[in-house]
Amino acid sequence: MSEPGPDYTADGVPTFDFVRDRIERRAATAEGAGELDDATPEAHDLAQQEADREAAARAKLEEIRRSLGG
């Protein structure tokens, strides 16, 4: 059996620091990707479409409530 790397115990289990660093790196990558996505014109257009749909849904719900006497 080969010697485990410095980020693993003798039993081949990753160390806490190694796992924490991988989680933090993945979280930072995801956050950065989200920020880049939000910065594109396409993302702005999609956000506007979503807001328009939500406003239309609220208006339709209010219309239904009024028609039911509520």
Side-chain angles (χ1 to χ4, degrees):
M1 188 164 124
S2 66
E3 184 69 26
D7 295 322
Y8 292 84
T9 66
D11 295 328
V13 177
T15 64
F16 175 78
D17 290 337
F18 176 74
V19 173
R20 184 190 63 231
D21 290 345
R22 287 215 38 199
I23 291 170
E24 288 175 352
R25 191 170 39 246
R26 286 184 181 183
T29 300
E31 183 178 346
E35 289 174 2
L36 287 174
D37 285 345
D38 291 343
T40 64
E42 293 85 2
H44 176 72
D45 292 345
L46 287 173
Q48 184 61 49
Q49 289 174 4
E50 183 179 346
D52 293 345
R53 280 193 304 270
E54 288 178 15
R58 282 191 300 274
K60 184 66 174 177
L61 181 59
E62 185 58 33
E63 177 186 328
I64 292 170
R65 286 180 176 154
R66 280 193 308 267
S67 72
L68 294 174

